[in-house]
Amino acid sequence: MKPEDAGAAFDGLPEGFQREADLGEPGRFPFTRGIYPTMYRGRRWTMRQYAGFGTAEETNRRYHFLLNQGTTGLSVAFDLPTQMGLDSDSPLAAGEVGRVGVAIDSLADMHTLLHGIDLGRISCSMTINATAPVLLALYTAVADETGVGRGELRGTVQNDILKEYLARGTYIYPVGPSLRLVSDLMAFCAAELPRWNGISVSGYHIREAGSTAAQEVAFTLANGVEYVRRALAGGIELEGFAPRISFFFAAHNDLFEEVAKFRAARRIWARLMRERFGASDRSCRLRFHTQTGGSTLTAQQHLNNVVRVAIQALAGVLGGTQSLHTNGYDEALSLPSAEAAALALRTQQILAEESGVAEWVDPLGGSFLVEHLTDRVESEALALMDRIEEMGGSAGAIPFMQEAIHRAAYRHQLEIEAGERVVVGVNRYRTEDVHEAQRGPDFRALEARQTEAVAAFRVRRDGDAVRDLLRRVRDAAASDENLLPVMIDAVKGGATLGEISEVLRGLWGTYENPR
């Protein structure tokens, strides 16, 4: 919301508002009021904490700490080399190993990461895109080797490559082959992992890059439409994959606009899926995960971030999220400390157990303000989606969406610098900050340990067998065969993430940003 829009009076529902068509009842089309009739009265949202740093062993210790604190789902952050298809001993990985997430090179690393975690009970989300098929292959291989049935696995792999071109940049291959990998993964999940979400279409990174709330909805749902079309073109039955599509949104500071954003997104997606694809009500439900806004956190007066995170988490809950991650208050300074991670989880638990908000279904539904904002976000988002359709869909509209995000981010920053948008502790109510420097791990020692580990892993395996498996991956990639089964065989046989990715680079090349 623009600052000048705040404070307007509302004395009636939006013009043309139709209670049954636009609002309806919770759990019923168009799902404006939530996708389940009882919402959190029937089941609380999944409380996740996004974590991953250094080695698999260190990250596994953090996961057990979080599970002991009461988190109900894990969310894996991977380091940049893993995201970009590089093993830790690659020259291109130097200086980045384990810095922004966990380094995963091999099946041995994945076994260590998941040690002692019941994969049949704990839902696991993996924030990974360009190398999503390889990471899911590793996860599935661990389940196979530890006796957990594929039908028992619950979780999500992000697998949303379009938003990498738009907003984040961890792409590898050209758009066409990348979308083929997305479809292969979705088809594999539909056939083999019935409780797994094969894609989480992400608006979070679009918003973090500077988009408006309406742009976040528009670009995310337009990408979702692109993935549905690709999956259908690949011969996947709509009702076999559409119910398992999930979404991932940011929650920022404007409480009522954020609530309205989530409600508008549900309504748009429901109508799109019914009108364009003839989907059942089950496939029209927009299920989503929310993460509080990392870009809203400040290094100045960093304890203020506790309040920001609480407001943003409240927006996610009032907006009807199915899953929630709350950021640590010290993330603008360093990787989140154990204390900050625990407090972030306690924020969710207090909302769920003490605030009373979980006892009511869509408590803001029918509010003049919220319905006005929901209609406004919907109208702005649909106008943007129409523009994208005119360009042939998301795959052909990447430059348009990039430019829109950049312009919105620039306007936002100008408003902060001019004092038109207040950021407490940054451009108003400033004080002299005094805080101790955050002590991080010794990344050089960590990188050395990880590169030694991957070298030792290669020594232990059968090199000839690995070469045969990698040729099999290349042959499958050159055909229309689904790559997931051959990738699972490859990682079980000792192929590393970097080696599989290098085979695909050799065949497909890499994406060059035209800008």
Side-chain angles (χ1 to χ4, degrees), residues 263-475:
R263 300 170 85 253
R266 269 196 300 271
R267 191 157 75 201
I268 294 170
W269 185 249
R271 288 172 172 166
L272 276 174
M273 291 299 288
R274 175 179 283 185
E275 293 166 10
R276 291 193 188 178
F277 302 108
S280 68
D281 278 6
R282 183 165 174 259
S283 294
C284 290
R285 298 183 307 185
L286 184 146
R287 300 174 304 116
F288 70 99
H289 169 69
T290 304
Q291 180 173 337
T292 58
S295 65
T296 69
L297 303 180
T298 63
Q300 302 93 326
Q301 301 178 21
H302 63 283
L303 288 176
N304 294 346
N305 295 328
V306 175
V307 182
R308 293 185 178 103
V309 168
I311 291 169
Q312 294 164 8
L314 178 61
V317 172
L318 291 173
T321 191
Q322 278 62 68
S323 172
L324 179 62
H325 163 84
T326 33
N327 289 337
Y329 63 80
D330 55 4
E331 288 188 38
L333 301 171
S334 66
L335 289 169
S337 62
E339 177 188 52
L343 181 59
L345 178 59
R346 294 288 180 262
T347 303
Q348 295 196 48
Q349 291 165 339
I350 290 168
L351 281 175
E353 307 298 342
E354 297 186 25
S355 73
V357 294
E359 300 305 317
W360 302 95
V361 180
D362 188 32
L364 298 182
S367 154
F368 299 152
L369 171 62
V370 170
E371 300 307 341
H372 166 80
L373 292 174
T374 301
D375 277 10
R376 192 182 77 179
V377 172
E378 180 182 32
S379 176
E380 292 177 8
L382 287 173
L384 288 165
M385 294 177 75
D386 286 344
R387 292 279 304 278
I388 292 166
E389 279 294 294
E390 291 168 4
M391 298 174 191
S394 285
I398 289 171
F400 164 73
M401 291 187 279
Q402 286 176 330
E403 180 69 18
I405 294 166
H406 295 164
R407 288 184 180 278
Y410 183 60
R411 285 195 302 272
H412 183 91
Q413 186 59 34
L414 288 179
E415 289 169 2
I416 292 173
E417 292 177 6
E420 297 169 3
R421 185 181 295 271
V422 175
V423 182
V424 173
V426 175
N427 64 358
R428 195 175 296 182
Y429 313 115
R430 296 174 60 179
T431 58
E432 196 66 39
D433 266 346
V434 180
H435 55 77
E436 292 183 14
Q438 301 294 301
R439 227 180 125 189
D442 182 345
F443 284 109
R444 285 185 296 181
L446 182 155
E447 185 169 324
R449 290 198 305 274
Q450 187 65 20
T451 55
E452 289 167 7
V454 71
F457 176 81
R458 290 198 184 97
V459 169
R460 294 194 300 269
R461 68 189 186 175
D462 183 336
D464 290 337
V466 169
R467 281 186 285 275
D468 288 341
L469 288 164
L470 290 174
R471 278 195 291 272
R472 181 81 181 85
V473 170
R474 190 187 190 286
D475 291 345

Side-chain angles (χ1 to χ4, degrees), residues 165 171-175 398 402 508-515:
Y165 300 119
Y171 45 74
I172 302 174
Y173 318 111
V175 176
I398 289 171
Q402 286 176 330
W508 293 334
T510 56
Y511 177 76
E512 298 293 333
N513 196 323
R515 297 185 64 81

